[in-house]
Every structure is written in structure tokens, then in C-alpha cells.
Amino acid sequence: MDATDRVSPAGAEPVGADPAEAGPAAGDPAGAWRRGRVVGLALTCHPGPALAVTALTLALALGSGLGGPRSTLVTAAVLTGQLSVGWCNDAYDARRDADAGRRGKPAADGRVQGRAVWTAAMSALALCVPLSLACGVLAGAVHLAAVAAAWLYNLRLKATALSWLPYVAGFGALPATVALSLPGGPWPRWWTVTAGALLGFAAHLADTLPDIAADRAAGIRGLPHRLGDRGTRLLLPVPLLGATAVLAFGPPGPLDGGGAAALALAGAASLAGPALGRRWRKAALAGAVAVASVDLALLLARGAAGA
């Protein structure tokens, strides 16, 4: 769910020839050029978001009692899916990023070939399919549907009013995939999926917020762009607090001290992030990550997945 690079930008035409297609520059040793390509590919996959989502999955898997080997399998499936989405994102969006002069985008500034990024994306996706299905047919189908939604975001939905939908589907699918990977494939608890979906919605708002003006100039009209900077800042705390509230009140029984503390911490973080956004570009996203961390701790304390 992007480090925070954008998890899934889209909207430009696929890149054909670019400056990196010509190979090593004169006088540049082939070995150094190849290392540069590897580094470029690593940066282009959006490593921060990919690793964050993968680590979240591993924590959920271990907390659910999947065990080491099974947890590793689920985590590998999610990692390959995240890599495919990140590479698809930058490969598809390279020309628009180049036109906008965005820095830190190897596919846009010629440090890595657009063709190589597309190849990496398709290779990761090819690995993701069997790894996902190895977790169980239903678990694999849920995860692959989330990956497909993320690709659809890259290729189309980012510029529409439905830009939030892949985030909701992707984050909601994480606890569902973990639960369905357990022996017997139990249905996930409803509050884990609901909280994940709300966090996904918040992640979209927080991730897009710093780039609303630049995206609008490039013709992107997702939900946050339609809400505008002020509207997005006002809305962001709602799904963040909603996710924590669902985890605090969803399980049977009265609210305990842990749930109350989580609500207090999440409330402070969800309000501070948007408020500090004008001073620190990534403040809203940092606040969302802080709330997600609180929610993960609460979820693990109460049982991560299962019926």
C-alpha cells in the first residue's frame, strides 16, 4: 500500500525508446553501467511501499499462527505482487514523469530502460501467480484480484473518481489472504478486512495529498484531486480513526485498555499528519503509517486472522 513513492501512478502512454536504450555511455565500463541498471530497477519498484506492505503481511501471517514456511510463502506472493505493481507504475508513467520533471524516477530520467522495467513487471507478475495459488485456491484468487486491481489503477483508474477502489481492495485483501491461507481456509474476521479497507482508503488520500497540484496539471482527476487539498486533509482523519475504531470495538466484549489507548494514539496521529502537511510534505503519509502501526499492534494483540 508508496517510501514513499507513489504506490501506483498512471496516465501516460507506455514508453518506447528512451535515452537509456542506447546502452553504456562512451567511456563508461560495462560493469558500472549494469550496476546502474540494477540500482535503477531497484528504485523503480517503489521499494519503500513494497517493503512496508510485505512486512505488514509477514507480521499478519506470523501473528495468525501460519508458521514459518507458510508465512514465507504468503509473504513471497505479496512481495512479487508489490514489485509487479511498482514496476508497472513507473514504466507506464515514465513519459509523464519526464515531462513533469519529477526527480528520482529512473525510468523517466533515462537511468534505466523503459523496456527493462516492463520486463521486470511482467516477470514479477508471472512469479506472483503460482506463489499466490500455492497459498490455496481461494487465498490466491483473493490476492491476485487485489494485484489486478492495482494494475488497473496504474493503467486507468488513477485518473478517475474510482481511484480509491484499488487501495480499498488491496489493503482489505491482505488479512483475507492470510486468513484463507490457514489450514482449512477459515474466513477472516470481518473487522480485520474492514479495518484494512479503511486504511487503504486513507493511504490513497495521504499518498496523493502532496502531489495534488502537480497531478492536476498533468490531467489526473482521481478522488483526492476532485476533493482538493483542503477537502482531502479534512477527510483523511475519518478513515484512519474509523479503522482503529473498528479494531477496538469489532471483537466481542467491552472496550479494553489496549483499545482505548490505540484510539487515543490513532486520533493524535491522524489529526497531526494533515495539520503538519504544509510544513512537511510527507506529514500526512507519516501520520497514516503511524496509525497503521498502532492498528497492527492492536490487531496482533487480539489475533491477526482466522474465524
Side-chain angles (χ1 to χ4, degrees):
M1 10 287 48
D2 357 184
T4 39
D5 291 321
R6 303 295 298 279
V7 177
S8 299
E13 291 297 322
V15 177
D18 59 37
E21 301 287 355
D28 183 23
W33 179 71
R34 283 193 292 269
R35 287 193 296 273
R37 289 187 62 191
V38 171
V39 172
L41 279 175
L43 294 174
T44 303
C45 76
H46 294 217
L51 291 176
V53 173
T54 302
L56 172 61
T57 303
L58 179 60
L60 287 174
L62 293 174
S64 70
L66 264 181
R70 194 75 171 169
S71 295
T72 300
L73 176 61
V74 174
T75 303
V78 170
L79 175 59
T80 53
Q82 288 295 304
L83 291 174
S84 78
V85 172
W87 278 319
C88 166
N89 169 11
D90 270 20
Y92 188 79
D93 216 32
R95 193 178 303 282
R96 184 174 66 87
D97 286 337
D99 291 343
R102 288 188 174 179
R103 298 179 179 179
K105 296 282 189 178
D109 61 23
R111 282 179 287 164
V112 64
Q113 299 175 6
R115 187 178 304 153
V117 182
W118 276 117
T119 299
M122 297 305 297
S123 299
L125 183 62
L127 285 172
C128 180
V129 174
L131 286 171
S132 298
L133 294 177
C135 299
V137 175
L138 189 53
V142 169
H143 180 242
L144 290 174
V147 173
W151 273 66
L152 185 59
Y153 174 92
N154 287 342
L155 303 177
R156 173 59 181 159
L157 291 183
K158 178 178 186 263
T160 75
L162 294 177
S163 59
W164 55 272
L165 187 57
Y167 281 80
V168 169
F171 278 73
L174 284 181
T177 299
V178 170
L180 292 168
S181 298
L182 288 164
W187 289 104
R189 296 175 174 127
W190 69 266
W191 58 84
T192 65
V193 176
T194 303
L198 287 169
L199 285 175
F201 185 73
H204 178 44
L205 298 178
D207 190 39
T208 308
L209 183 58
D211 298 307
I212 285 179
D215 286 345
R216 275 179 165 175
I220 301 299
R221 295 286 294 172
L223 178 63
H225 311 95
R226 295 165 192 252
L227 294 173
D229 184 277
R230 178 177 174 80
T232 301
R233 290 182 190 278
L234 291 174
L235 179 59
L236 178 55
V238 176
L240 288 174
L241 280 172
T244 308
V246 166
L247 292 175
F249 293 104
L255 178 68
D256 59 16
L263 282 170
L265 290 172
S270 63
L271 294 173
L276 296 174
R278 298 187 185 281
R279 296 185 178 182
W280 178 26
R281 186 171 178 270
K282 295 293 185 178
L285 189 56
V289 171
V291 174
S293 300
V294 171
D295 291 348
L296 177 61
L298 183 60
L299 182 58
L300 292 176
R302 297 188 169 187

